[in-house]
Amino acid sequence: MRDVPAEQALEAWRRACAAGGCPERIPAVRVGLADAVGRVTAEAVWARRSSPAFDAAAMDGIAVSSAATVGASETTPLRLPPDAYDVVDTGDPLPDARDAVVMREQVHYERTPAGPVAELRAAVPPYQHVRSVGEDVAAGELLLPEGHRLRAVDVAAAAAAGAVDLLVRRAPVVAVLPTGDEIRPLGGAVEPGQIPDTNSLMLAAQAREAGCEAVVLPIEPDDPARIAAAVHAAAAESDLVLVVAGSSAGRDDYTAQVVEQAGTLVVHGVAVRPGHPVVLGLVDATPVVGCPGYPVSAALTFDIFAAPLLAALQGAAVQRRPVTRARLSRKLASVVGMDDWIRVRLGEVAGRVVATPLSRGAGVLTSLVRADGLLVVPAGTEGHQAGEDVEIDLLRGLDEIRRTIVVIGSHDLVLDLAASELRRRDPRISLASSNVGSLGGLVAVRDELCHLAGSHLLDPASGEYTLPYVDRLLAGRDVAVVRLVHREQGLIVRPGNPLGLQDVKDLTRRGVRYVNRQRGAGTRVLLDHELTRRGLSPDDVEGYAREEHTHLAVAGAVAAGRADCGLGILAAARAYALDFVPVTTEPYDLVVTAGLLDAPVLAPLWELLGSAAFRAAVEGLGGYCTEETGRRIR
């Protein structure tokens, strides 16, 4: 594999496709207007008739000759006999000898033996409330250019201009070919070591979102001959073939080999992270993309390489996402030499959009689910500092982002429950929590990079939680602290507690594998305090240096057998059906600057904390006490 820059790889692929006989454009078809939305015009659309095709009333009222109304006013009203006006409704043709319309609300009638006399109390200028011939579009006028992706309003305008059908590019056909001995169809049983075929589902959906027809083919095992036969068959029936997995350099990765032997291999390996092991080539005059097996890499491969090619086949511009500027909530390092695509959560704090990076693992599909935007760190950049302004490609609208409550700090399941309940109550509201530890959350509050910090930091010297750290880190600032819950912290152990762990001192026993929380996390501070109280050193704990960023991740490590225990909350142990050895009960608080306490964006959260139903749901998680939930303790 090589590290070809993305733009260079895309251009090389385009040139090779042209040289290899791949069509520059897919064929055109004529479709009715009702089926044209989402398609791309294959020829210019010219108006066959004017719209409106006649001078038409734009209001309900009476049609008059404007010259006959001169001199009318409130003090000198003008009376028009029945033969000097015509009653019209919106859209009616303007009668001959009439050149203006007076709204019905401005007309007063007086009944006479000759018929109703209309009284006007203001003169009207020519063509008042009149839609002139061709006001919308004139016959012979260019309505839509070639290469225009049709929207609902476009087909409506084409109909008004006399069209009954349009010549458009047919929908490109994208064949998705999943490969791998370990891949299993969705809906079936999945054994250890096997993977459900979620990538094909995702890539097919991305193709449909791009206006394509997607065909998911049967899963092929890691057999180069079978994969080659499937690629040849797919190339004969489609405009683009996506081969899923097998694009890296492992012993069972055959995509590059198959493309090279069956057609032309243009690129293997691009300077993009995630998504480095991309294969670009062509087989039987059909473009082929080898997508990495990691889901985030596969999704971004479609965006970076497949989407531009599909747009070009239809003669359309690539659909670009809107962008905004945002401040980074924490330092972000990047590998020099690769474009780094970072998924971020967004919210507006103190009038500025703030971006918080999500997990960067290529296999962490939920990072795309939760992402509000994408930050591209160019290959020549080492990263960005906290507070630095960056450009973000938006995945959600700014209006939604402005209704997002940004929480940075310690992880707690109550925040996840609150996020779900807030969205259920009002679909416009989001709560985005980022788990960087209590200390990192307080720093983010100080730097106006979040609305709230979740904190349960124990100060060993005083025995108090959070408040001493607020005094030190936010000295001189008017800060509010709101109690969220009291919660049980303890040792999360395997079912039945096979090692018989009963106390923190047992972590120093030989053979006990511990999984820790990250530096700055309140749970880690708690562990250090408990070790010190017992005269023990972190060096005595096997696995002390191994870090996870959430209570659920700690529980997951224990459940998977990668560790014997970890310090965490009871609710996380219950989520994985693990056992729990209590160590302490601690407060968990929300820290906010007083200036934001009454901000409208936080009002739904404060209301939720006062809900008896929500408190009951929190206690149902296990290990929580909500007696003080919502109380301001400072």
Side-chain angles (χ1 to χ4, degrees), residues 304-578:
I304 298 169
F305 299 105
L309 179 98
L310 292 167
L313 285 173
Q314 298 172 83
V318 179
Q319 298 183 54
R320 300 293 185 187
R321 299 185 180 99
V323 300
T324 191
R325 302 292 297 182
R327 294 175 68 209
L328 270 182
S329 66
R330 58 182 173 83
K331 182 179 180 180
L332 182 67
S334 181
V335 177
V336 175
M338 286 194 175
D339 292 339
D340 206 352
W341 290 65
I342 312 296
R343 288 80 71 196
V344 298
R345 297 221 68 171
L346 300 172
E348 187 175 270
V349 181
R352 301 211 32 205
V353 177
V354 172
T356 300
L358 289 162
S359 173
R360 298 165 72 171
V364 186
L365 184 57
T366 52
S367 67
L368 279 178
V369 173
R370 295 169 180 152
D372 302 315
L374 292 170
L375 163 63
V376 181
V377 182
T381 304
E382 293 184 350
H384 298 286
Q385 297 296 321
E388 189 174 339
D389 271 1
V390 293
E391 186 174 273
I392 303 292
D393 290 348
L394 289 173
L395 301 175
R396 285 202 304 156
L398 281 173
D399 188 54
E400 293 179 79
I401 289 164
R402 293 189 180 103
R403 292 189 177 100
T404 298
I405 301 169
V406 181
V407 185
I408 295 179
S410 171
H411 169 250
D412 191 273
L413 294 178
V414 174
L415 294 175
D416 298 334
L417 184 63
S420 176
E421 181 60 20
L422 287 169
R423 177 57 66 91
R424 188 192 69 79
R425 291 181 169 205
D426 187 342
R428 299 171 301 171
I429 297 172
S430 296
L431 186 150
S433 58
S434 299
N435 310 313
V436 299
S438 299
L439 194 60
L442 295 179
V443 171
V445 167
R446 181 196 67 191
D447 296 340
E448 295 187 325
L449 295 173
C450 65
H451 296 112
L452 302 165
S455 177
H456 62 111
L457 275 173
L458 170 65
D459 178 42
S462 65
E464 285 190 283
Y465 280 83
T466 297
L467 297 180
Y469 293 91
V470 169
D471 292 337
R472 289 196 290 269
L473 287 171
L474 294 121
R477 302 279 293 276
D478 189 4
V479 176
V481 180
V482 176
R483 177 66 35 84
L484 184 62
V485 287
H486 281 91
R487 63 185 193 175
E488 286 189 59
Q489 285 262 43
L491 298 178
I492 298 173
V493 298
R494 284 178 286 168
N497 193 6
L499 297 182
L501 304 177
Q502 297 299 325
D503 187 85
V504 168
K505 68 175 183 295
D506 294 335
L507 301 181
T508 61
R509 281 170 28 193
R510 181 179 298 275
V512 176
R513 298 168 302 156
Y514 184 75
V515 57
N516 207 352
R517 291 292 305 280
Q518 79 278 20
R519 292 179 182 274
T523 300
R524 182 160 173 159
V525 173
L526 174 63
L527 173 67
D528 291 345
H529 173 65
E530 295 294 331
L531 289 172
T532 300
R533 282 204 312 122
R534 292 162 175 79
L536 301 173
S537 166
D539 295 335
D540 299 328
V541 179
E542 181 184 342
Y544 180 90
R546 179 180 177 180
E547 300 178 350
E548 294 289 355
H549 281 70
T550 68
H551 294 280
L552 287 175
V554 168
V558 174
R562 300 192 305 273
D564 298 310
C565 66
L567 191 62
I569 57 177
L570 174 59
R574 284 191 175 183
Y576 279 88
L578 298 169

